[in-house]
Amino acid sequence: SIPAQETIKDLCFTEGGLLVDDFNDIFSDIFSTRGPQYKRIIEMLGDGPKEPKDLAGLVNMTYTGTFFEYLEDLEKSGFISRDY
């Protein structure tokens, strides 16, 4: 059997997935003009957890309070979760 996490990834993030367009619509509605930055963060986390400093570099953002606001917004909206 395929783990639920893998199924969700395929449905939401794989080209041709049933919910790919829904993901883009939801992102646009929630995050408006800052959507592309949020989406880059999500995409970089698609293959597994990252340390915040490493993630900031991968998405070409400065490791500052603004970057942490993005992470907090994504966490509060349920798109990501913090791994302690």
Side-chain angles (χ1 to χ4, degrees), residues 1-55:
S1 88
I2 301 172
Q5 190 174 24
E6 188 66 31
T7 301
I8 291 168
K9 182 179 170 184
D10 289 343
L11 287 171
C12 296
F13 302 104
T14 303
E15 189 172 334
L18 183 62
L19 302 175
V20 170
D21 291 334
D22 290 351
F23 172 80
N24 291 329
D25 292 342
I26 291 168
F27 244 74
S28 177
D29 289 347
I30 293 174
F31 298 116
S32 190
T33 60
R34 292 172 40 172
Q37 292 90 339
Y38 287 105
K39 189 173 179 184
R40 282 191 324 204
I41 293 170
I42 295 280
E43 288 170 344
M44 289 299 120
L45 292 171
D47 63 349
K50 309 264 184 310
E51 290 294 323
K53 189 172 186 175
D54 298 332
L55 181 59

Side-chain angles (χ1 to χ4, degrees), residues 59-73:
V59 297
N60 298 318
M61 292 182 73
T62 307
Y63 187 64
T64 64
T66 301
F67 175 73
F68 284 99
E69 287 176 21
Y70 278 67
L71 293 181
E72 187 176 80
D73 290 345

